């Protein structure tokens, strides 16, 4: 089928929740190809999912071997892949006493995290979860309520009770909403959907202190920032803090659906038999995929590559931003979760880049979000920077031409 045929079939048979433009049919490493055979450098990575690139041979073999051996047995039986994977996640988190619960998506992992915090607090009548404005935590009823963006909530009420909202990077704002019913504060160390906004170091350490003083939990949503994306195993490791528990999904399975809750000692044994469950969570197949991801990140030193390529990409983006400082504000983020912050909607730039063969994301209106795989090569970053430079140049000229008086809108020279 060509793209037009696929689009027509989709229009007829799928709910119109998404509005894709191109049909992708194949991927390898940092590249994908569409139904017409056009090649794209993929700096979206399926939204921070294919962190070790498309069809990494180690992942392909791990999944092939496992699919021939055992796919699913349910959690009624031991499955050695789960504790082995859980142990390595806890070790990489620097939380040796931590225990995991495996789920199937980010929303489900966060839903479990919310339940865990509520069960922990239930003895003392604490159930409220404080989340940040502009945060994103998923689309189930509880997680969309936790999400600090009104646009995902409209029309879905009544929403579950027990959530309060504070301003990100504003410790006073958090203090202002803590009540005797507060069980936890849930934060992303680096907000992805919110526009690639990192937490301030001071905010994170103040928050850890505040939670300890108030006897409430600090929870991190690591669904997007986790699994090496920021150049550390987990986003919170960019700060000198440790959460009481955190959630994972996206990059954990490199595209094989798997999510997880990783809970430190305080929460490790709060869920007892009957408290929480899932049929699919942590199947031998999902765990084989995730274990391959962990092994590849370790063996190929991808945290180092993420730091180096992230710095290289950020530097190139800064040069572009400087050149267009009238309409590009700054570059922000960690590792390979970077945002080019514009003064204009990012959709235009994203579209131009796609035409040129670079996939990127427009986020929070005016942010171009770049998420290459963690094993991206320097020449691929260079190629992306060339395309972004060209696209910005073109956009600059178009904006200048559209404006009757370029000087007034600040676009002309
Ligand atoms: C994507 C995302 C989620 C939701 O994950 P799903 O797998 O889409 O349910 C939750 N939190 C954050 C920070 C995310 O980026």
């Amino acid at each position: 089928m060509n793209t037009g045929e696929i689009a027509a079939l989709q229009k007829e048979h799928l709910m119109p929740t998404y509005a894709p433009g191109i049909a992708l049919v194949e991927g390898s490493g940092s590249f994908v190809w569409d139904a017409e055979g056009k090649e794209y450098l993929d700096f979206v990575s399926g939204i921070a999912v294919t962190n070790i690139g498309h069809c990494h041979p180690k992942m392909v073999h791990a999944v092939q071997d496992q699919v021939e051996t055992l796919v699913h047995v349910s959690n009624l039986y031991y499955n050695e892949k789960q504790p082995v994977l859980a142990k390595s996640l806890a070790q990489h988190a620097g939380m040796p006493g931590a225990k995991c619960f495996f789920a199937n998506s980010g929303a489900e992992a966060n839903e479990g995290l919310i339940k865990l915090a509520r069960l922990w607090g239930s003895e003392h009548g604490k159930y409220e979860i404080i989340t940040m404005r502009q945060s994103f935590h998923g689309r189930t009823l509880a997680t969309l309520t936790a999400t600090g963006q009104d646009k995902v909530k409209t029309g879905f009420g009544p929403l579950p009770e027990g959530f309060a909202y504070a301003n990100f990077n504003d410790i006073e704002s958090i203090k202002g909403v803590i009540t005797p019913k507060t069980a936890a504060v849930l934060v992303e160390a680096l907000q992805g959907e919110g526009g690639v906004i990192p937490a301030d170091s001071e905010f994170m350490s103040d928050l850890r202190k505040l939670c300890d003083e108030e006897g409430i939990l600090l929870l991190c949503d690591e669904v997007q920032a986790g699994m090496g994306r920021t150049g550390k195993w987990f986003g919170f490791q960019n700060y000198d803090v440790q959460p009481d528990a955190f959630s994972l999904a996206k990059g954990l399975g490199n595209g094989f659906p798997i999510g997880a809750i990783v809970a430190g000692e305080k929460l490790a044994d709060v869920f007892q038999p009957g408290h929480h469950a899932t049929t699919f969570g942590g199947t031998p197949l999902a765990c084989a995929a995730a274990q391959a991801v962990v092994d590849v990140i370790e063996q190929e030193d991808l945290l180092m590559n993420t730091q180096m390529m992230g710095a290289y990409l950020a530097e190139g983006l800064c040069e572009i931003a400087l050149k267009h400082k009238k309409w590009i504000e700054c570059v922000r983020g960690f590792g390979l979760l970077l945002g080019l912050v514009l003064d204009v909607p990012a959709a235009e730039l994203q579209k131009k880049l796609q035409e040129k063969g670079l996939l990127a994301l427009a986020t929070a209106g005016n942010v171009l979000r770049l998420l290459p795989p963690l094993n991206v090569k320097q020449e691929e970053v260079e190629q992306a920077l060339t395309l972004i430079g060209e696209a910005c140049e073109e956009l600059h000229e178009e904006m200048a031409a559209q404006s009757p008086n370029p000087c007034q809108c600040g676009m002309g020279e």
Side-chain angles (χ1 to χ4, degrees):
M1 280 193 278
N2 65 33
T3 304
E5 290 162 346
I6 297 167
L9 199 64
Q10 168 141 344
K11 191 161 184 237
E12 217 176 310
H13 298 288
L14 279 148
M15 294 186 191
T17 43
Y18 308 105
I22 53 172
L24 299 177
V25 294
E26 203 182 324
S28 177
S30 305
F31 292 91
V32 287
W33 289 269
D34 74 12
E36 276 69 43
K38 179 172 170 177
E39 182 177 278
Y40 301 87
L41 188 50
D42 183 5
F43 274 33
V44 172
S45 301
I47 321 182
V49 170
T50 50
N51 282 5
I52 60 168
H54 294 285
C55 305
H56 190 292
K58 288 200 177 121
M59 156 114 186
V60 170
H61 292 136
V63 170
Q64 275 175 346
D65 285 351
Q66 192 59 46
V67 88
E68 287 174 358
T69 309
L70 187 69
V71 172
H72 169 90
V73 289
S74 89
N75 287 297
L76 301 174
Y77 309 97
Y78 285 123
N79 143 22
E80 68 175 40
K81 304 250 172 235
Q82 280 198 26
V84 173
L85 176 61
K87 185 177 172 186
S88 51
L89 293 176
Q91 275 171 347
H92 287 308
M95 294 161 66
K99 293 185 180 175
C100 293
F101 177 91
F102 289 109
N104 306 282
S105 70
E108 194 193 341
N110 282 334
E111 188 88 19
L113 200 58
I114 292 165
K115 281 180 68 181
L116 186 65
R118 283 196 177 185
L119 191 60
W120 172 83
S122 62
E123 264 181 52
H124 307 287
K126 291 169 177 274
Y127 56 86
E128 226 162 57
I129 317 266
I130 298 171
T131 67
M132 303 303 118
R133 298 202 170 86
Q134 266 84 58
S135 61
F136 184 79
H137 299 297
R139 298 290 198 143
T140 63
L141 275 174
T143 59
L144 79 82
T145 307
T147 294
Q149 304 185 36
D150 288 336
K151 65 176 188 206
V152 304
K153 305 183 189 188
T154 312
F156 297 110
L159 299 174
E161 287 172 30
F163 292 89
Y165 308 92
N167 296 332
F168 190 44
N169 281 333
D170 180 351
I171 198 75
E172 294 305 318
S173 161
I174 294 186
K175 284 181 188 164
V177 289
I178 290 178
T179 73
K181 296 188 168 14
T182 304
V185 178
L186 171 62
V187 290
E188 297 158 86
L190 172 54
Q191 290 187 340
E193 304 300 312
V196 192
I197 308 173
D200 299 334
S201 299
E202 208 187 333
F203 172 74
M204 286 301 275
S205 51
D206 287 352
L207 183 57
R208 178 69 273 182
K209 250 185 263 154
L210 180 66
C211 288
D212 289 340
E213 283 162 16
E214 297 283 340
I216 59 187
L217 303 170
L218 175 58
L219 309 175
C220 281
D221 180 340
E222 289 282 338
V223 170
Q224 184 155 159
M227 298 312 291
R229 189 39 68 189
T230 67
K232 307 273 182 181
W233 275 98
F234 306 107
F236 61 80
Q237 291 171 328
N238 292 285
Y239 305 89
D240 204 11
V241 301
Q242 216 162 54
D244 294 301
F246 63 93
S247 56
L248 288 174
K250 292 204 164 93
L252 180 56
N254 208 54
F256 201 97
I258 179 168
I261 304 170
V262 184
E265 272 167 284
K266 196 190 284 182
L267 295 171
D269 293 309
V270 169
F271 278 159
Q272 290 292 314
H275 278 138
H276 195 52
T278 163
T279 301
F280 289 134
T283 63
L285 187 54
C287 289
Q291 192 64 54
V293 170
V294 171
D295 293 347
V296 167
I297 294 175
E298 286 171 3
Q299 289 158 10
E300 299 182 9
D301 209 359
L302 293 190
L303 298 186
M304 180 58 86
N305 194 64
T306 302
Q307 288 167 21
M308 278 169 34
M309 290 304 108
Y312 189 71
L313 178 58
E315 198 182 297
L317 290 173
C318 281
E319 274 171 33
I320 294 169
L322 259 178
K323 214 165 152 199
H324 298 284
K325 59 175 181 277
K326 289 194 171 142
W327 60 277
I328 303 182
E329 279 180 33
C330 65
V331 179
R332 66 187 176 211
F334 291 133
L336 288 170
L337 176 38
L338 293 174
L340 186 65
V341 186
L342 315 179
D343 273 342
V344 295
E348 238 2 68
L349 181 55
Q350 180 203 10
K351 211 171 116 217
K352 244 182 210 313
L353 291 171
Q354 185 170 301
E355 282 162 15
K356 288 177 179 292
L358 175 67
L359 300 184
L361 272 168
T363 307
N366 66 326
V367 181
L368 188 81
R369 184 168 36 150
L370 296 161
L371 306 147
L374 309 186
N375 52 4
V376 69
K377 298 188 180 80
Q378 182 160 336
E379 63 258 33
E380 293 163 349
V381 174
E382 276 161 13
Q383 189 183 337
L385 284 169
T386 302
L387 296 177
I388 296 167
E390 280 173 22
C392 286
E393 209 57 58
E394 287 171 26
L395 208 58
H396 177 90
E397 270 157 35
E398 284 166 29
M399 285 189 290
Q402 269 167 21
S403 163
N405 182 346
C407 294
Q408 267 176 22
C409 79
M411 296 297 164
E413 292 302 330

